[in-house]
Amino acid sequence: MSNLDDILKSRRDTRHFTAEEVPDEVIKKALQAGHWAPSVGLTDATRYYLIKSHEVKSSIKNLFLDYNKKAEELTDNLEQKELYKSLKLEAIEEAPIGLVIAYDRSVLNQFTIGTIGSNEAVKFSSVCAAQNIWLSLTEQGYGMGWVSILNYYQFKKILDLPENIEPLGYFCIGKPATNYNNQPMLQQLHWKQKSEAPICTEIKEIHQINVSPFDLQSENKTQNKADFYTLLQDKIDSKTKPVGSLGTLEALAFQMATVFETLNPKIEKPNIVVFAADHGIANHGVSDYPQDVTRQMVTNFLDGGAAINVFCNQNNIELSIVDSGVNYDFPTNAKLIDAKIAKGTQSFLHVPAMSESEVQLCFEKGKSIVENIARSGSNCIGFGEMGIGNTSTASVLMSLLTGFPIEDCVGKGTGVENEKLLLKQNLLQRAIENYSGQAEILSQLSYFGGFEILQMAGGMLAAFENKMLILVDGFICTVAYLIAFKINSNIKQNTVFCHCSAEKAHSELLNYLEAKPILNLDLRLGEGTGCAVAFPILKSAEAFLNEMASFESAGVSRK
């Protein structure tokens, strides 16, 4: 072939291959074409791994089969389900050669031209390389098929890829056994028709972005509720028990009644909201998990497979999942609250994590989410989070807002140990030393904040305004509370600290806030799990206050 248009039209996602071997010079030429692809900031971050071993191919095939079974269940349309089952979506074991195309995200550890708008620019460069390889193979009379239906975490593990290497997928390479009637295979099999022409719209005008300024000034309103407090305490003390003998349950009952402004408080439509986002600082190796785990776990939440799903189901708690800024485009039909600010923050080691207008937008979106939940009739809301790298963000914010040295604020996060923990601590110290901004909260939040952390803070402030009981999970959620508390200290009246986590900084922060957590179970999972596990204790406090007999009603003598 020599005509470029013919090569482009003939580039097919090949699933059927002959047994013919692929000459080394064909692969060499194709990889060189990939190397010539555009590369943002000349990062040269694309990496290639060739696979010819049948054992390796077999293991990857098993990964595909496992995830493909899950994919079959994603449609409720029986006809579509049967058609999907009939599709050949891979040729992992049949194709003579397997190719893993990946990118090295460690290039982001240094200043990289072209990545300030999106960390994904490095990934896009690798996609350009994949396309060049595809076109080169087509021109040489060969074909390639992209397999992306994989558990990427397990995929990396079985191939023993370094933590900083992120694969685009597995590519099958060989001599095509068919040209699919010169059309895409999925179109030939009537899965979906490809449009005849590109979809292109000319934009002729700009639209202003209007973000309402969120009040970051503290309000300290006090109201005289002495009479109500006296009646409430008398009701608690008159139950058939020694005064104070139910300990923390009595304090929780008093708090609940005070928040709901009734002597007969009842939790209505409890809801735990998990805010998820990615962090630029994760590109510097501060976590034992790759950044893509954020996206994977959000999918797990939506599929009902995470710990928070189990505990919410156990306790009849509504679960809401928020995309605050995950580095991924979720399907528009996903049961997900879309509050995405951007695809992850920038790395605060080099530049501000976000702009001040994005800080304001985070508070606004967090407020809107909670107000919608309050309008549904909920009066109890728990806060959870997910985001690879967010313990680093939380540690820096804690240090800045409390004055504690960073070494007192850094913990294991997702499991960082020993030398890597020291590396994390030193890196965060360097980031703080690099900061030359103002010592006021908006500037600090802009430079070091995380989208999900600031949305939680805005949501907590809104929950207080809507007279909701606020349940705080672990370390990261408590840092979000710290931000909200700095803005309005009255929020403490509505807040229940559900547990003290195994993150060493959490107990320090709770002491700083003079907060008494309900549980200490060495949890450090996040997701709002501490809120869900502590919830039955809140229900016990509610039950004793509303249902337990008084000395008078039971005819029992007081002390």
Side-chain angles (χ1 to χ4, degrees):
M1 294 183 187
S2 59
N3 185 282
L4 177 60
D5 286 349
D6 289 340
I7 295 172
L8 290 169
K9 284 188 287 188
S10 300
R11 189 207 68 67
R12 295 282 174 260
D13 200 0
T14 306
R15 304 298 185 194
H16 298 82
F17 296 93
T18 70
E20 182 179 328
E21 292 296 314
V22 181
D24 289 344
E25 56 267 25
V26 170
I27 293 296
K28 184 177 180 180
K29 184 177 180 180
L31 292 180
Q32 184 62 52
H35 189 61
W36 284 332
S39 177
V40 63
L42 291 179
T43 49
D44 202 17
T46 307
R47 303 287 182 267
Y48 307 101
Y49 301 87
L50 285 174
I51 295 172
K52 299 179 182 179
S53 161
H54 178 75
E55 181 185 5
V56 177
K57 290 179 182 177
S58 178
S59 294
I60 296 171
K61 175 69 175 280
N62 289 334
L63 281 183
F64 166 82
L65 292 174
D66 178 53
Y67 250 43
N68 195 49
K69 185 67 178 175
K70 294 179 180 179
E72 289 176 12
E73 304 304 320
L74 292 179
T75 175
D76 295 325
N77 184 313
L78 293 180
E79 184 178 344
Q80 192 179 50
K81 191 186 293 282
E82 290 305 310
L83 178 55
Y84 181 87
K85 289 180 180 179
S86 71
L87 297 175
K88 182 173 175 57
L89 297 175
E90 53 78 36
I92 296 169
E93 292 182 308
E94 297 94 325
I97 289 180
L99 174 66
V100 178
I101 303 176
Y103 63 97
D104 182 353
R105 59 184 172 84
S106 70
V107 300
L108 294 167
N109 291 357
Q110 292 80 41
F111 173 66
T112 305
I113 293 173
T115 61
I116 187 67
S118 171
N119 292 329
E120 284 194 299
V122 175
K123 181 192 297 186
F124 300 155
S125 296
S126 296
V127 174
C128 290
Q131 180 75 334
N132 272 19
I133 291 169
W134 227 318
L135 294 172
S136 174
L137 289 168
T138 303
E139 190 268 340
Q140 296 180 79
Y142 292 83
M144 187 163 82
W146 190 338
V147 182
S148 59
I149 305 173
L150 298 165
N151 179 318
Y152 279 74
Y153 180 70
Q154 293 179 0
F155 184 51
K156 285 181 61 173
K157 288 295 185 186
I158 65 171
L159 297 181
D160 194 29
L161 295 180
E163 192 268 338
N164 53 291
I165 298 296
E166 299 296 344
L168 300 179
Y170 181 90
F171 296 82
C172 305
I173 296 176
K175 197 79 168 179
T178 175
N179 70 353
Y180 305 113
N181 291 336
N182 206 30
Q183 61 180 309
M185 184 194 70
L186 293 180
Q187 181 170 317
Q188 181 192 27
L189 298 177
H190 309 296
W191 177 261
K192 189 177 181 181
Q193 293 298 307
K194 188 177 180 69
S195 58
E196 290 293 326
I199 301 168
C200 179
T201 303
E202 181 182 358
I203 297 174
K204 299 180 178 179
E205 59 183 5
I206 62 170
H207 294 268
Q208 298 296 325
I209 301 173
N210 295 314
V211 179
S212 303
F214 199 92
D215 186 9
L216 294 177
Q217 300 301 313
S218 175
E219 293 183 23
N220 286 297
K221 300 175 183 177
T222 58
Q223 293 179 310
N224 185 7
K225 297 183 177 181
D227 292 343
F228 175 79
Y229 292 161
T230 300
L231 289 171
L232 175 58
Q233 191 61 56
D234 184 61
K235 180 178 180 180
I236 293 171
D237 292 343
S238 69
K239 298 297 182 181
T240 49
K241 59 174 180 60
V243 172
S245 60
L246 284 179
T248 299
L249 291 181
E250 297 190 23
L252 289 172
F254 189 96
Q255 182 181 16
M256 198 182 306
T258 303
V259 171
F260 299 158
E261 298 180 343
T262 174
L263 295 176
N264 303 292
K266 184 172 177 58
I267 293 174
E268 302 285 357
K269 297 184 177 181
N271 197 315
I272 291 178
V273 189
V274 180
F275 294 77
D278 279 307
H279 297 251
I281 197 65
N283 292 315
H284 303 282
V286 294
S287 171
D288 264 357
Y289 290 85
Q291 189 182 74
D292 195 48
V293 170
T294 306
R295 185 268 305 174
Q296 293 169 6
M297 282 304 301
V298 170
T299 301
N300 194 23
F301 297 149
L302 298 175
D303 289 343
I308 188 59
N309 299 96
V310 173
F311 297 143
C312 282
N313 290 339
Q314 175 190 13
N315 294 304
N316 297 314
I317 302 170
E318 182 75 17
L319 178 62
S320 303
I321 310 299
V322 179
D323 176 7
S324 303
V326 180
N327 197 357
Y328 182 75
D329 290 316
F330 292 98
T332 55
N333 63 350
K335 192 181 177 184
L336 188 68
I337 298 173
D338 182 7
K340 191 189 292 287
I341 306 296
K343 289 183 177 179
T345 59
Q346 296 302 312
S347 170
F348 56 67
L349 187 61
H350 303 307
V351 295
M354 66 186 83
S355 66
E356 291 192 0
S357 64
E358 286 177 325
V359 173
Q360 300 282 5
L361 190 58
C362 283
F363 278 92
E364 186 176 275
K365 285 184 177 289
K367 175 184 179 183
S368 176
I369 289 165
V370 171
E371 285 180 340
N372 285 336
I373 291 172
R375 279 194 286 270
S376 75
S378 173
N379 63 2
C380 178
I381 185 166
F383 289 84
E385 45 63 39
M386 175 64 213
I388 296 300
N390 65 5
T391 53
S392 294
T393 300
S395 295
V396 172
L397 290 173
M398 174 183 166
S399 178
L400 290 170
L401 297 177
T402 64
F404 290 173
I406 190 64
E407 55 266 27
D408 291 347
C409 305
V410 177
K412 295 178 181 179
T414 49
V416 175
E417 300 277 4
N418 304 326
E419 289 183 10
K420 199 165 184 180
L421 183 60
L422 185 61
L423 181 147
K424 176 180 177 180
Q425 179 179 305
N426 291 339
L427 186 141
L428 298 183
Q429 180 63 50
R430 183 150 52 97
I432 293 173
E433 290 170 355
N434 289 344
Y435 177 62
S436 58
Q438 298 176 352
E440 55 94 20
I441 192 167
L442 183 58
S443 177
Q444 293 172 333
L445 296 180
S446 170
Y447 204 95
F448 294 104
F451 295 140
E452 82 280 32
I453 294 174
L454 300 189
Q455 286 188 12
M456 284 193 292
M460 290 174 187
L461 291 167
F464 173 73
E465 294 297 329
N466 282 273
K467 300 178 181 178
M468 303 174 80
L469 196 63
I470 301 166
L471 310 185
V472 175
D473 190 28
F475 173 55
I476 294 145
C477 290
T478 306
V479 169
Y481 167 83
L482 172 66
I483 295 167
F485 178 78
K486 292 289 184 180
I487 295 168
N488 185 354
S489 60
N490 288 329
I491 193 174
K492 189 171 185 179
Q493 301 165 12
N494 293 48
T495 305
V496 175
F497 297 88
C498 294
H499 74 113
C500 179
S501 80
E503 284 288 318
K504 72 167 190 175
H506 194 205
S507 60
E508 296 282 349
L509 184 53
L510 290 170
N511 289 336
Y512 172 85
L513 293 166
E514 298 180 346
K516 183 181 179 182
I518 297 177
L519 301 171
N520 190 338
L521 300 175
D522 285 336
L523 304 177
R524 56 180 180 88
L525 176 59
E527 304 177 6
T529 47
C531 301
V533 171
F535 186 74
I537 296 175
L538 292 169
K539 292 296 289 182
S540 294
E542 174 196 290
F544 104 75
L545 184 60
N546 292 332
E547 301 171 25
M548 189 174 174
S550 67
F551 285 105
E552 287 73 16
S553 66
V556 176
S557 299
R558 287 179 180 264
K559 178 179 177 182

